[in-house]
C-alpha cells in the first residue's frame, strides 16, 4: 500500500485544515494587535545556516542533503536563522525595533510521539533592535495573549521564565568554571525529567566536584523571583544579573498577566543561541511538551550577518496547541460555504442553470450544481450533504413563468422568487 504519508507528516483533510486555519487566523489576529508585520523565507536553506549556531540537538535532526548542484542544503528546522539572515541583509534600512512574525512549516527528524512530529507549523514573533527588558515582556505578553485568544486562562496554561544571565551568575558564584557551564545548563534543563543520580553522574563525568554539583541542583530548585533574588544577593554581580528578569516579571504584572507567570530556573532551552531571558509556555496538566518557547538571542545576527543587533522572540507550534484545542473544544468542521445549490429539473434546464451559476459567482455568491443529469431527489441530497442553506430549482414551468423555486433545506419550505431577483442573489 502506497497510500500513507511519511511517519510524522500529516495529511490535512478539510476538517483538519479547518482547525489549522482557525489557529493561523488567531495567530495573525494577535500579531496584528501587537503591531507585527508578516514575513517569510525559503523552506530550503544552506546547511551551514544551522550547523554551529542552532545547537547540536537540532543539527542531529536536520533533513539535509546535497542538491543537484552539489550544494549542501537543509529543510528549515526553525525560522530564527533565516530571520537573522534576512534582517542582517537589510539592517540599515529597517526601522528599529523591528516587529516581525511568520508562520513557517518546519522539519525535524524527531522521534515521533504525541505532540512531536517531523513537520509542524510555528508562529514566530520576534523583536529586533531592542536590548531592554520591555521587549522581552512584550513578547511574553504576546505569547500569553495568543493563548488567551484561544480562551485558555491561567488555570490552563502558564509561562515559566528564566534568564541565562542569572543562571550563569549563580553557577559561576557557586564555583563552576565558564567551561563547565554548558554541562550545568544541560543538567538543569533535564532536572525535571531525569533522576538526580543520573544527573550527578553527568556532572561528575564533566569533572564538576561535589560542592559545585550541589550548587547546580540548588539553582535548579528555585521556583520564585524571591528565591532567585535572595540567591543573587549573595554573589558578585548578582544585582545586575537579575535586573532584566525582575523588570520583565514586573511589566507582565502591570499588564495584568501576573497569574500566568512564574519564575523557574529549570527553563534553560535547548537551542544554543540564547543569551538572556528564556521562557516556555506549558499546559497546567503538564502532559505535553512545551506549547511555546523563546528568549533573547543577542549574538545571532552578528554571527550570521556580522551586524550587532539584539533580538528576542518565540516559536509556538501548531501540534501541541491543536491537541489542547481538540481536547477542550468541539470538533472543528470545514465550513460549508455554499449560499445556494442550483437544481436543474431536466436536460433543457442545464444551460439556464449554468448561466445563472456564472452570474451569481460573478457577484461573489457561492453556488454549486450537479455535474451530470440526475433526478431532483439526488440533486437535493447532494445539496444537503454540502450544507447549502437553500436549493434554487429551475424547470420548464419556472422558466416560462420567469421564476425559480427557492427551497429552504432546513425547513423544507419553498416559494417562488422572480428570476430577476434570483440573478442578483436575492432569494426571498
Ligand atoms: P523550539 O523550542 O525548538 O524553538 O520550538 C518552539 C515550539 O515549536 C515548541 O515549544 C513546540 O511547541 C514546537 N515544536 C518544536 N518542534 C516540534 C516538533 N517536532 N513537533 C511539534 N511541535 C514542535 C524554536 O524553534 C526557536 N527558533 C523559537 C524562537 C523564535 N526563539 C526565538 N525566536
Amino acid at each position: 500500500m502506497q497510500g500513507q504519508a511519511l511517519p510524522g507528516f500529516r495529511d490535512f483533510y478539510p476538517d483538519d485544515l479547518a482547525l489549522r486555519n482557525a489557529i493561523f487566523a488567531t495567530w495573525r489576529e494577535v500579531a496584528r494587535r501587537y503591531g507585527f508585520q508578516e514575513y517569510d523565507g525559503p523552506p530550503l536553506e544552506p546547511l551551514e545556516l544551522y550547523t554551529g549556531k542552532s545547537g547540536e540537538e537540532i543539527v542531529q535532526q536536520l533533513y539535509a542533503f546535497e542538491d543537484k548542484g552539489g550544494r549542501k542544503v537543509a529543510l528549515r528546522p526553525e525560522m530564527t536563522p533565516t530571520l537573522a539572515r534576512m534582517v542582517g541583509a537589510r539592517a540599515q534600512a529597517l526601522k528599529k525595533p523591528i516587529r516581525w512574525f511568520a508562520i513557517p512549516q518546519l522539519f525535524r527528524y524527531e522521534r515521533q510521539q504525541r505532540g512531536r512530529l517531523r513537520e509542524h507549523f510555528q508562529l514566530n514573533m520576534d523583536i529586533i533592535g531592542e536590548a531592554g527588558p520591555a521587549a522581552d515582556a512584550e513578547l511574553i505578553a504576546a505569547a500569553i495573549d495568543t493563548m488567551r485568544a484561544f480562551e485558555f486562562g491561567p488555570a490552563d496554561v502558564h509561562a515559566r521564565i528564566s534568564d541565562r544571565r542569572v543562571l550563569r551568575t549563580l553557577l559561576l558564584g557557586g564555583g563552576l568554571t565558564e567551561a563547565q557551564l554548558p554541562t550545568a545548563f544541560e543538567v538543569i534543563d533535564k532536572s525535571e525529567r531525569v533522576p538526580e543520580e543520573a544527573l550527578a553522574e553527568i556532572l561528575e563525568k564533566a569533572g564538576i566536584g561535589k560542592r559545585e554539583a550541589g550548587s547546580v541542583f540548588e539553582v535548579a530548585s528555585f521556583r520564585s523571583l524571591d528565591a532567585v533574588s535572595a540567591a543573587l544577593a549573595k554573589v558578585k554581580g548578582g544585582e545586575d544579573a537579575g535586573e532584566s528578569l525582575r523588570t520583565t516579571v514586573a511589566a507582565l504584572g502591570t499588564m495584568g498577566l501576573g497569574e500566568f507567570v512564574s519564575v523557574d530556573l529549570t527553563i534553560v532551552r535547548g537551542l544554543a543561541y540564547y543569551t538572556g531571558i528564556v521562557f516556555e509556555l506549558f499546559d497546567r496538566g503538564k502532559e505535553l511538551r512545551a506549547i511555546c518557547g523563546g528568549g533573547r538571542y543577542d549574538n545571532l545576527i552578528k554571527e550570521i550577518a556580522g551586524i550587532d543587533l539584539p533580538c528576542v522572540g518565540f516559536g509556538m507550534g501548531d501540534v501541541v496547541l491543536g491537541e489542547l484545542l481538540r481536547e477542550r473544544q468541539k470538533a472543528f468542521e470545514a465550513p460549508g460555504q455554499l449560499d445556494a445549490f442550483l437544481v436543474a429539473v431536466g436536460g433543457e434546464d442545464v444551460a439556464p442553470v449554468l448561466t445563472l451559476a456564472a452570474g451569481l459567482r460573478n457577484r461573489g455568491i457561492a453556488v454549486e450544481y450537479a455535474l451530470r443529469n440526475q433526478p431532483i431527489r439526488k440533486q437535493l441530497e447532494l445539496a444537503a450533504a454540502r450544507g447549502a442553506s437553500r436549493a434554487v430549482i429551475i424547470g420548464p414551468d419556472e422558466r416560462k413563468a420567469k421564476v425559480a423555486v427557492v427551497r429552504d433545506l432546513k425547513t423544507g419550505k419553498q416559494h417562488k422568487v422572480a428570476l430577476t431577483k434570483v440573478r442578483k442573489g436575492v432569494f426571498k
Side-chain angles (χ1 to χ4, degrees):
M1 170 122 160
Q2 298 188 331
Q4 275 189 350
L6 287 168
F9 285 76
R10 293 168 290 177
D11 290 324
F12 287 92
Y13 288 87
D15 286 350
D16 306 316
L17 197 65
L19 172 58
R20 183 174 115 189
N21 284 341
I23 291 174
F24 286 13
T26 303
W27 281 351
R28 288 202 165 91
E29 167 52 22
V30 176
R32 183 195 65 76
R33 274 194 242 155
Y34 276 76
F36 280 61
Q37 282 186 304
E38 189 164 2
Y39 71 98
D40 200 0
L44 197 65
E45 288 278 20
L47 177 62
E48 62 181 26
L49 190 60
Y50 308 108
T51 44
K53 288 169 201 99
S54 298
E56 207 35 50
E57 190 183 355
I58 227 171
V59 170
Q60 298 289 331
Q61 296 167 342
L62 283 175
Y63 277 89
F65 55 97
E66 211 171 276
D67 75 5
K68 289 187 173 132
R71 292 174 207 91
K72 289 197 162 58
V73 296
L75 284 172
R76 59 184 175 194
E78 59 156 336
M79 196 60 180
T80 315
T82 300
L83 171 68
R85 186 197 59 220
M86 287 171 64
V87 170
R90 300 221 180 141
Q92 306 301 336
L94 294 164
K95 180 78 189 149
K96 267 70 83 187
I98 298 159
R99 290 170 177 252
W100 279 6
F101 82 99
I103 307 182
Q105 188 173 24
L106 306 176
F107 305 88
R108 299 180 188 181
Y109 196 86
E110 295 215 46
R111 205 145 47 81
Q112 194 192 332
Q113 50 188 274
R114 188 167 174 230
R116 194 183 291 259
L117 300 175
R118 289 183 178 164
E119 55 73 25
H120 70 283
F121 289 89
Q122 199 186 81
L123 167 67
N124 277 248
M125 291 179 77
D126 292 87
I127 296 179
I128 298 140
E130 177 50 61
D136 303 85
E138 180 82 338
L139 272 169
I140 298 171
I144 295 171
D145 263 344
T146 308
M147 298 312 292
R148 289 177 66 221
F150 288 110
E151 295 177 6
F152 291 110
D156 308 305
V157 293
H158 70 145
R160 298 158 72 190
I161 308 179
S162 179
D163 191 322
R164 285 197 178 177
R165 289 164 293 198
V166 170
L167 285 170
R168 271 177 61 83
T169 307
L170 290 177
L171 291 168
L172 293 175
L176 282 95
T177 64
E178 192 76 43
Q180 292 169 335
L181 287 183
T183 311
F185 279 9
E186 180 197 336
V187 163
I188 293 171
D189 183 40
K190 290 182 173 155
S191 62
E192 282 204 326
R193 302 177 304 252
V194 177
E196 195 165 318
E197 305 84 74
L199 297 174
E201 215 171 285
I202 299 177
L203 292 170
E204 204 185 320
K205 268 199 194 135
I208 296 172
K210 278 234 153 37
R211 201 177 66 83
E212 289 76 24
S215 26
V216 174
F217 289 119
E218 191 192 1
V219 166
S221 73
F222 293 139
R223 293 284 182 285
S224 74
L225 191 55
D226 286 348
V228 173
S229 295
L232 280 172
K234 292 186 208 142
V235 295
K236 194 168 141 249
E239 188 64 25
D240 286 350
E243 184 57 30
S244 211
L245 185 61
R246 272 192 292 274
T247 312
T248 302
V249 171
L252 289 165
T254 310
M255 287 187 240
L257 301 173
E259 276 184 293
F260 283 92
V261 173
S262 58
V263 168
D264 181 338
L265 292 198
T266 56
I267 300 299
V268 178
R269 306 270 303 130
L271 294 159
Y273 47 65
Y274 294 110
T275 53
I277 293 265
V278 279
F279 66 96
E280 291 189 335
L281 251 63
F282 288 88
D283 66 303
R284 289 271 184 195
K286 261 199 185 173
E287 277 174 24
L288 302 160
R289 69 174 289 170
I291 303 163
C292 158
R296 179 163 281 286
Y297 52 103
D298 285 346
N299 300 331
L300 190 65
I301 298 193
K302 189 153 46 171
E303 279 173 37
I304 288 178
I307 289 166
D308 204 356
L309 267 179
C311 309
V312 54
F314 70 79
M316 178 183 291
D318 69 327
V319 181
V320 177
L321 186 57
E323 295 261 353
L324 290 174
L325 288 170
R326 276 204 177 93
E327 257 173 33
R328 67 153 38 203
Q329 288 197 8
K330 64 270 168 197
F332 282 81
E333 278 175 26
Q337 287 163 337
L338 280 190
D339 296 309
F341 194 99
L342 310 186
V343 173
V345 174
E348 305 254 289
D349 304 308
V350 169
V353 159
L354 283 187
T355 312
L356 179 60
L360 289 171
R361 286 169 174 166
N362 286 343
R363 287 174 179 270
I365 294 163
V367 299
E368 188 185 334
Y369 51 84
L371 297 177
R372 56 166 63 194
N373 282 345
Q374 278 181 336
I376 297 178
R377 182 181 52 80
K378 280 261 173 209
Q379 295 184 55
L380 288 174
E381 259 172 39
L382 183 57
R386 289 289 198 257
S389 52
R390 60 180 74 82
V392 174
I393 305 165
I394 298 200
D397 298 344
E398 285 77 26
R399 278 190 287 118
K400 209 176 287 166
K402 297 196 169 34
V403 295
V405 171
V406 176
R407 182 184 173 100
D408 184 317
L409 291 173
K410 283 214 181 75
T411 62
K413 280 193 187 136
Q414 57 185 45
H415 56 281
K416 290 182 180 149
V417 180
L419 267 178
T420 48
K421 283 169 93 182
V422 171
R423 283 193 197 107
K424 291 183 190 148
V426 179
F427 299 111
K428 284 188 207 145

